[in-house]
Protein backbone atom coordinates (compact mmCIF):
# COMPACT_ATOMS: atom_id res chain seq x y z
CA UNK A 1 0.00 0.00 0.00
CA UNK A 2 1.12 3.57 -0.62
CA UNK A 3 0.49 6.46 1.76
CA UNK A 4 1.10 10.16 1.30
CA UNK A 5 2.95 12.12 3.96
CA UNK A 6 -0.10 13.24 6.02
CA UNK A 7 -1.59 9.72 6.07
CA UNK A 8 1.72 8.21 7.15
CA UNK A 9 2.35 10.91 9.76
CA UNK A 10 -1.03 10.14 11.36
CA UNK A 11 0.21 6.61 12.11
CA UNK A 12 2.61 8.04 14.69
CA UNK A 13 -0.32 7.87 17.14
CA UNK A 14 0.98 8.78 20.60
CA UNK A 15 4.66 7.97 19.97
CA UNK A 16 6.53 10.77 21.76
CA UNK A 17 9.16 12.98 20.16
CA UNK A 18 12.01 13.04 22.66
CA UNK A 19 14.81 13.95 20.25
CA UNK A 20 16.20 17.47 20.58
CA UNK A 21 17.55 19.71 17.83
CA UNK A 22 21.07 19.34 19.25
CA UNK A 23 20.81 15.53 19.23
CA UNK A 24 19.47 15.57 15.68
CA UNK A 25 22.37 17.74 14.56
CA UNK A 26 24.78 14.99 15.66
CA UNK A 27 22.83 12.34 13.71
CA UNK A 28 22.49 14.27 10.45
CA UNK A 29 24.94 13.59 7.64
CA UNK A 30 26.93 16.32 5.88
CA UNK A 31 24.61 18.72 4.00
CA UNK A 32 21.58 16.68 5.13
CA UNK A 33 18.66 19.01 6.01
CA UNK A 34 16.56 16.44 7.94
CA UNK A 35 14.46 18.37 10.47
CA UNK A 36 12.56 17.55 13.65
CA UNK A 37 9.37 17.78 11.55
CA UNK A 38 10.77 14.97 9.40
CA UNK A 39 11.52 12.92 12.50
CA UNK A 40 8.00 13.49 13.82
CA UNK A 41 6.14 12.83 10.56
CA UNK A 42 8.26 10.02 9.07
CA UNK A 43 10.57 8.34 11.54
CA UNK A 44 8.32 8.18 14.61
CA UNK A 45 5.60 6.26 12.71
CA UNK A 46 8.33 4.01 11.30
CA UNK A 47 9.77 3.41 14.76
CA UNK A 48 6.28 2.50 16.02
CA UNK A 49 5.77 0.06 13.15
CA UNK A 50 9.18 -1.53 13.71
CA UNK A 51 8.46 -1.91 17.42
CA UNK A 52 5.33 -3.89 16.50
CA UNK A 53 7.35 -6.02 14.08
CA UNK A 54 10.02 -6.73 16.70
CA UNK A 55 7.50 -7.87 19.30
CA UNK A 56 5.58 -10.02 16.82
CA UNK A 57 8.80 -11.64 15.56
CA UNK A 58 9.88 -12.42 19.10
CA UNK A 59 6.56 -14.16 19.75
CA UNK A 60 6.95 -16.21 16.58
CA UNK A 61 10.50 -17.24 17.47
CA UNK A 62 9.37 -18.20 21.00
CA UNK A 63 6.58 -20.34 19.56
CA UNK A 64 8.98 -22.19 17.24
CA UNK A 65 11.49 -22.75 20.05
CA UNK A 66 8.73 -24.08 22.28
CA UNK A 67 7.55 -26.45 19.55
CA UNK A 68 11.09 -27.77 19.02
CA UNK A 69 11.90 -27.91 22.72
CA UNK A 70 14.92 -25.62 22.19
CA UNK A 71 16.47 -23.56 24.93
CA UNK A 72 15.81 -19.85 24.75
CA UNK A 73 18.59 -18.22 22.73
CA UNK A 74 17.84 -14.57 21.94
CA UNK A 75 18.59 -13.41 18.43
CA UNK A 76 18.52 -9.84 17.15
CA UNK A 77 15.85 -8.42 14.89
CA UNK A 78 17.68 -7.48 11.67
CA UNK A 79 16.86 -4.36 9.68
CA UNK A 80 18.44 -3.47 6.33
CA UNK A 81 18.62 0.13 5.10
CA UNK A 82 19.52 0.63 1.43
CA UNK A 83 19.68 3.45 -1.10
CA UNK A 84 22.03 5.50 -3.23
CA UNK A 85 25.08 7.42 -2.15
CA UNK A 86 23.94 10.86 -0.85
CA UNK A 87 20.23 9.94 -0.61
CA UNK A 88 20.27 10.13 3.20
CA UNK A 89 20.18 6.43 4.14
CA UNK A 90 22.95 6.79 6.75
CA UNK A 91 21.05 9.59 8.50
CA UNK A 92 17.90 7.44 8.35
CA UNK A 93 19.77 4.48 9.88
CA UNK A 94 21.23 6.61 12.70
CA UNK A 95 17.81 8.12 13.44
CA UNK A 96 16.22 4.69 13.61
CA UNK A 97 18.95 3.42 15.90
CA UNK A 98 18.31 6.31 18.29
CA UNK A 99 14.52 6.12 18.18
CA UNK A 100 14.28 2.32 18.45
CA UNK A 101 16.61 2.32 21.48
CA UNK A 102 14.06 4.50 23.30
CA UNK A 103 11.48 1.70 23.30
CA UNK A 104 11.72 -0.18 26.64
CA UNK A 105 11.44 -3.65 25.05
CA UNK A 106 14.64 -3.34 22.98
CA UNK A 107 17.07 -0.75 24.38
CA UNK A 108 20.18 -2.29 22.82
CA UNK A 109 20.32 -1.30 19.14
CA UNK A 110 23.50 -1.66 17.07
CA UNK A 111 24.28 -0.10 13.68
CA UNK A 112 26.76 -1.55 11.20
CA UNK A 113 27.73 -0.07 7.83
CA UNK A 114 28.59 -2.38 4.96
CA UNK A 115 31.49 0.01 4.23
CA UNK A 116 33.31 -2.03 6.89
CA UNK A 117 33.22 -4.95 4.44
CA UNK A 118 34.81 -3.12 1.53
CA UNK A 119 38.04 -4.71 0.41
CA UNK A 120 41.10 -2.62 1.39
CA UNK A 121 42.29 -0.22 -1.31
CA UNK A 122 45.39 -2.35 -1.88
CA UNK A 123 43.18 -5.30 -2.82
CA UNK A 124 40.97 -3.16 -5.06
CA UNK A 125 44.05 -1.80 -6.85
CA UNK A 126 45.52 -5.27 -7.23
CA UNK A 127 42.29 -6.46 -8.82
CA UNK A 128 42.02 -3.39 -11.03
CA UNK A 129 38.65 -2.30 -9.62
CA UNK A 130 39.57 0.78 -7.58
CA UNK A 131 37.36 2.81 -9.92
CA UNK A 132 34.45 0.50 -9.03
CA UNK A 133 34.61 1.06 -5.30
CA UNK A 134 31.05 0.73 -4.00
CA UNK A 135 30.02 -1.73 -6.73
CA UNK A 136 29.01 -5.20 -5.47
CA UNK A 137 32.34 -6.76 -6.43
CA UNK A 138 34.26 -4.31 -4.21
CA UNK A 139 32.79 -5.86 -1.04
CA UNK A 140 33.79 -9.00 0.79
CA UNK A 141 30.26 -10.34 0.53
CA UNK A 142 31.13 -13.70 2.06
CA UNK A 143 32.45 -12.01 5.19
CA UNK A 144 29.32 -9.85 5.38
CA UNK A 145 27.05 -12.89 5.11
CA UNK A 146 29.09 -14.72 7.75
CA UNK A 147 28.69 -11.73 10.06
CA UNK A 148 24.91 -11.43 9.77
CA UNK A 149 24.54 -15.22 9.90
CA UNK A 150 26.45 -15.32 13.19
CA UNK A 151 24.35 -12.48 14.58
CA UNK A 152 21.12 -14.15 13.51
CA UNK A 153 22.27 -17.39 15.11
CA UNK A 154 22.56 -15.58 18.44
CA UNK A 155 26.34 -15.19 18.70
CA UNK A 156 27.29 -13.40 21.92
CA UNK A 157 29.63 -11.07 20.05
CA UNK A 158 31.23 -10.71 16.64
CA UNK A 159 34.13 -8.61 15.37
CA UNK A 160 34.28 -6.88 12.01
CA UNK A 161 36.71 -4.55 10.22
CA UNK A 162 36.48 -0.76 10.47
CA UNK A 163 36.29 1.57 7.47
CA UNK A 164 37.49 5.18 7.71
CA UNK A 165 35.82 7.72 5.43
CA UNK A 166 38.64 10.11 6.25
CA UNK A 167 41.33 7.68 5.06
CA UNK A 168 38.97 6.25 2.42
CA UNK A 169 40.17 2.77 3.39
CA UNK A 170 39.88 -0.09 5.85
CA UNK A 171 41.84 0.73 9.03
CA UNK A 172 44.56 -1.91 9.52
CA UNK A 173 44.10 -3.84 12.75
CA UNK A 174 40.99 -1.95 13.87
CA UNK A 175 37.84 -3.89 14.75
CA UNK A 176 34.26 -3.06 15.69
CA UNK A 177 32.87 -5.47 18.24
CA UNK A 178 29.12 -6.07 18.08
CA UNK A 179 27.67 -7.59 21.23
CA UNK A 180 24.40 -9.44 20.77
CA UNK A 181 21.88 -6.59 20.37
CA UNK A 182 18.11 -6.55 20.54
CA UNK A 183 18.06 -4.97 17.09
CA UNK A 184 20.81 -4.85 14.47
CA UNK A 185 20.60 -2.29 11.65
CA UNK A 186 22.76 -3.01 8.60
CA UNK A 187 23.11 0.03 6.35
CA UNK A 188 24.66 0.16 2.88
CA UNK A 189 24.07 0.83 -0.79
CA UNK A 190 23.97 -2.84 -1.79
CA UNK A 191 22.36 -4.59 1.19
CA UNK A 192 19.33 -5.67 -0.85
CA UNK A 193 21.37 -7.30 -3.62
CA UNK A 194 19.96 -10.74 -4.56
CA UNK A 195 22.18 -13.77 -4.03
CA UNK A 196 24.03 -15.58 -6.77
CA UNK A 197 22.59 -19.02 -7.58
CA UNK A 198 23.13 -21.50 -4.77
CA UNK A 199 24.27 -18.88 -2.25
CA UNK A 200 22.80 -16.66 0.45
CA UNK A 201 22.79 -12.87 0.43
CA UNK A 202 22.77 -10.57 3.44
CA UNK A 203 19.16 -9.59 2.64
CA UNK A 204 18.06 -13.19 3.25
CA UNK A 205 18.62 -12.59 6.98
CA UNK A 206 16.63 -9.35 7.28
CA UNK A 207 13.37 -9.26 9.22
CA UNK A 208 12.54 -5.85 7.73
CA UNK A 209 14.17 -3.76 5.01
CA UNK A 210 13.98 -0.10 4.01
CA UNK A 211 14.91 1.57 0.73
CA UNK A 212 15.43 5.34 0.67
CA UNK A 213 14.50 6.59 -2.81
CA UNK A 214 14.55 9.80 -4.85
CA UNK A 215 14.86 10.90 -8.47
CA UNK A 216 18.35 10.56 -9.92
CA UNK A 217 18.61 14.28 -10.68
CA UNK A 218 17.81 15.16 -7.07
CA UNK A 219 20.38 12.70 -5.68
CA UNK A 220 22.96 14.10 -8.11
CA UNK A 221 22.34 17.61 -6.74
CA UNK A 222 22.60 16.39 -3.13
CA UNK A 223 25.80 14.51 -3.91
CA UNK A 224 27.40 17.63 -5.38
CA UNK A 225 26.30 19.77 -2.42
CA UNK A 226 27.72 17.23 0.00
CA UNK A 227 31.01 16.92 -1.88
CA UNK A 228 31.53 20.68 -1.92
CA UNK A 229 30.69 20.93 1.78
CA UNK A 230 33.17 18.15 2.57
CA UNK A 231 35.78 20.00 0.51
CA UNK A 232 35.33 23.01 2.77
CA UNK A 233 35.45 20.93 5.94
CA UNK A 234 36.63 17.34 6.31
CA UNK A 235 38.83 17.27 3.20
CA UNK A 236 40.97 20.02 4.72
CA UNK A 237 42.25 17.54 7.29
CA UNK A 238 45.77 16.53 6.13
CA UNK A 239 44.87 12.89 6.89
CA UNK A 240 42.04 12.98 4.36
CA UNK A 241 42.40 10.88 1.21
CA UNK A 242 40.95 13.87 -0.68
CA UNK A 243 43.10 16.52 1.01
CA UNK A 244 44.59 17.68 -2.29
CA UNK A 245 41.11 18.52 -3.61
CA UNK A 246 40.66 20.94 -0.73
CA UNK A 247 44.05 22.60 -0.99
CA UNK A 248 45.45 22.28 -4.52
CA UNK A 249 42.45 22.44 -6.83
CA UNK A 250 40.35 25.39 -7.96
CA UNK A 251 36.59 25.46 -7.31
CA UNK A 252 35.63 24.77 -10.94
CA UNK A 253 38.03 21.83 -11.16
CA UNK A 254 36.76 20.38 -7.89
CA UNK A 255 33.17 20.65 -9.11
CA UNK A 256 34.06 18.92 -12.36
CA UNK A 257 35.83 16.15 -10.42
CA UNK A 258 32.71 15.62 -8.33
CA UNK A 259 30.41 15.56 -11.37
CA UNK A 260 32.67 13.14 -13.21
CA UNK A 261 32.77 10.85 -10.16
CA UNK A 262 28.99 10.94 -10.03
CA UNK A 263 28.51 10.27 -13.74
CA UNK A 264 31.06 7.47 -14.11
CA UNK A 265 30.75 5.70 -10.74
CA UNK A 266 27.86 6.58 -8.45
CA UNK A 267 25.12 7.06 -11.03
CA UNK A 268 26.18 3.94 -12.92
CA UNK A 269 26.10 1.93 -9.70
CA UNK A 270 22.72 3.39 -8.77
CA UNK A 271 21.09 2.58 -12.10
CA UNK A 272 22.68 -0.84 -12.59
CA UNK A 273 22.86 -2.27 -9.08
CA UNK A 274 21.09 -0.24 -6.38
CA UNK A 275 17.77 0.96 -7.81
CA UNK A 276 16.83 -2.51 -9.16
CA UNK A 277 16.76 -3.79 -5.55
CA UNK A 278 14.09 -1.29 -4.47
CA UNK A 279 11.28 -3.78 -5.08
CA UNK A 280 12.79 -6.17 -2.53
CA UNK A 281 12.33 -3.72 0.35
CA UNK A 282 9.57 -4.05 2.93
CA UNK A 283 9.18 -0.27 2.97
CA UNK A 284 10.23 2.49 0.57
CA UNK A 285 10.65 6.14 1.56
CA UNK A 286 10.20 8.43 -1.48
CA UNK A 287 11.94 11.80 -1.11
CA UNK A 288 11.17 14.97 -3.01
CA UNK A 289 13.61 17.61 -4.26
CA UNK A 290 13.72 19.22 -0.79
CA UNK A 291 14.96 15.98 0.84
CA UNK A 292 11.59 15.53 2.61
CA UNK A 293 9.81 12.19 2.36
CA UNK A 294 6.64 12.75 0.33
CA UNK A 295 5.16 9.25 0.36
CA UNK A 296 5.75 5.81 1.78
CA UNK A 297 5.16 2.41 0.25
CA UNK A 298 4.70 -0.52 2.63
CA UNK A 299 4.49 -4.17 1.70
CA UNK A 300 1.74 -5.58 3.90
CA UNK A 301 2.72 -9.24 3.63
Amino acid sequence: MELDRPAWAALRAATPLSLTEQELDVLRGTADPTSLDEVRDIYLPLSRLLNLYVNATRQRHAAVRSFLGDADRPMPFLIGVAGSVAVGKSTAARLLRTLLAQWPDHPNVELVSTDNFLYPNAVLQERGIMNRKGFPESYDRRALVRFVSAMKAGAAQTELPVYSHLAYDIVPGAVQTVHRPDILIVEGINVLQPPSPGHLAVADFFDFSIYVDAKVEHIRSWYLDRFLELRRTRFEDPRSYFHAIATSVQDAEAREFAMNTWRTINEVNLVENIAPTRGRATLVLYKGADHRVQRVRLRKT
Side-chain angles (χ1 to χ4, degrees):
M1 64 182 299
E2 193 164 298
L3 300 96
D4 62 17
R5 186 183 179 99
W8 176 258
L11 298 176
R12 166 193 173 189
T15 309
L17 174 60
S18 57
L19 200 67
T20 67
E21 184 66 43
Q22 291 75 20
E23 291 169 331
L24 176 58
D25 192 51
V26 173
L27 299 173
R28 275 190 292 246
T30 302
D32 189 318
T34 298
S35 65
L36 284 176
D37 285 344
E38 190 80 349
V39 176
R40 181 196 62 213
D41 292 348
I42 304 302
Y43 292 99
L44 286 182
L46 180 51
S47 123
R48 177 180 173 230
L49 175 64
L50 285 168
N51 179 58
L52 295 171
Y53 262 83
V54 171
N55 291 332
T57 301
R58 283 178 171 173
Q59 292 175 13
R60 178 169 58 86
H61 287 167
V64 172
R65 287 196 301 269
S66 176
F67 172 74
L68 295 173
D70 283 350
D72 185 20
R73 184 172 60 177
M75 62 182 68
F77 185 90
L78 260 63
I79 301 171
V81 181
S84 171
V85 168
V87 78
K89 67 185 178 307
S90 298
T91 296
R94 288 191 292 267
L95 276 169
L96 286 174
R97 179 189 187 183
T98 300
L99 296 174
L100 288 171
Q102 294 175 355
W103 291 88
D105 294 339
H106 38 76
N108 182 11
V109 183
E110 291 272 12
L111 171 60
V112 167
S113 170
T114 59
D115 287 346
N116 293 331
F117 294 91
L118 281 161
Y119 286 115
N121 288 351
V123 174
L124 297 178
Q125 290 165 350
E126 180 183 337
R127 297 182 180 182
I129 56 172
M130 188 66 184
N131 63 339
R132 291 181 66 81
K133 192 169 187 175
F135 283 69
E137 64 268 27
S138 66
Y139 292 87
D140 188 344
R141 287 174 282 182
R142 290 183 180 179
L144 178 56
V145 168
R146 285 195 300 269
F147 165 69
V148 294
S149 177
M151 286 285 97
K152 199 64 175 174
Q157 68 177 45
T158 305
E159 292 184 345
L160 57 145
V162 173
Y163 182 82
S164 166
H165 287 275
L166 186 67
Y168 196 61
D169 202 356
I170 297 293
V171 180
V175 295
Q176 176 184 351
T177 302
V178 179
H179 300 279
R180 183 167 54 215
D182 300 312
I183 299 173
L184 174 63
I185 301 172
V186 181
E187 171 264 319
I189 57 180
N190 288 311
V191 294
L192 295 180
Q193 284 289 312
S196 56
H199 294 84
L200 289 171
V202 62
D204 293 322
F205 296 89
F206 292 153
D207 297 293
F208 194 98
S209 54
I210 299 161
Y211 186 95
V212 184
D213 197 20
K215 292 183 177 180
V216 173
E217 57 266 31
H218 296 158
I219 305 175
R220 180 191 305 121
S221 175
W222 302 337
Y223 173 80
L224 182 60
D225 289 344
R226 187 180 74 173
F227 184 92
L228 296 177
E229 179 62 23
L230 286 170
R231 180 173 179 259
R232 291 189 292 268
T233 55
R234 211 174 304 172
F235 291 174
E236 291 190 345
D237 189 323
R239 298 169 298 171
S240 172
Y241 181 86
F242 296 103
H243 180 62
I245 292 177
T247 58
S248 306
V249 172
Q250 297 298 315
D251 290 349
E253 189 178 350
R255 181 181 290 270
E256 180 55 34
F257 175 86
M259 287 305 300
N260 184 62
T261 301
W262 172 262
R263 286 191 302 265
T264 60
I265 299 176
N266 294 312
E267 185 170 351
V268 174
N269 198 16
L270 171 59
V271 172
E272 293 183 357
N273 299 304
I274 304 168
T277 70
R278 177 178 48 213
R280 307 188 74 212
T282 314
L283 179 139
V284 181
L285 300 173
Y286 292 96
K287 288 188 170 187
D290 58 359
H291 240 298
R292 286 161 48 91
V293 174
Q294 302 300 323
R295 52 197 172 93
V296 177
R297 189 184 72 193
L298 174 65
R299 195 170 65 219
K300 295 195 291 183
T301 56

